[in-house]
Amino acid sequence: VQLQASGGGLAQAGGFLTLSCAASGSMLSIVGMGWYRQAPGKSRELVASIISGGTTTYADSAKGRFTISRDSAKNTVDLRMNSLKPEDTGVYYCNAYKRNGDRSRYDYWGQGTQVTVSS
């Protein structure tokens, strides 16, 4: 599975951005997809995810402002980010994962796209 992220850039606080991720390759075993953020000097953290069936999970910081959506027919996952804050700044990574036979998780990662929010 290969993931290609796009849509990052510079935005002002209060503005919006939409990140898009296009997946290619065999998606049959993919259980979920999502977006992670890595801010400068911090570890990578989950922003939002969506699993087969449509159940979504959001970081507390993203709830009410961000919306994740997946188009299974097109193998894309988007993250609409509204009411952006400077603390949303970071490199955003698209993620897809599957479960191995022993139920362990295997992650695929995109190349990352920079989001910078100015105050």
Side-chain angles (χ1 to χ4, degrees):
V1 175
Q2 295 79 44
L3 303 172
Q4 181 68 43
S6 60
L10 178 65
Q12 291 187 332
F16 66 92
L17 285 171
T18 298
L19 306 182
S20 296
C21 178
S24 60
S26 177
M27 298 291 289
L28 292 177
S29 60
I30 297 301
V31 174
M33 299 184 71
W35 290 91
Y36 286 69
R37 174 177 64 228
Q38 187 162 18
K42 295 187 177 181
S43 58
R44 194 174 298 186
E45 61 181 2
L46 175 69
V47 176
S49 67
I50 184 167
I51 63 173
S52 301
T55 300
T56 57
T57 300
Y58 294 93
D60 287 343
S61 60
K63 290 177 181 176
R65 299 189 299 124
F66 294 3
T67 302
I68 189 169
S69 60
R70 180 178 177 182
D71 186 329
S72 296
K74 296 181 179 180
N75 288 335
T76 59
V77 60
D78 292 344
L79 183 68
R80 170 76 178 198
M81 305 185 292
N82 293 329
S83 302
L84 285 165
K85 303 176 181 180
E87 51 263 44
D88 295 323
T89 294
V91 179
Y92 284 70
Y93 295 90
C94 179
N95 168 271
Y97 72 93
K98 66 178 183 180
R99 293 291 180 186
N100 296 318
D102 62 358
R103 303 302 297 164
S104 61
R105 171 170 166 159
Y106 184 89
D107 289 280
Y108 299 92
W109 296 98
Q111 83 282 12
T113 184
Q114 176 71 43
V115 171
T116 303
V117 183
S118 62
S119 57

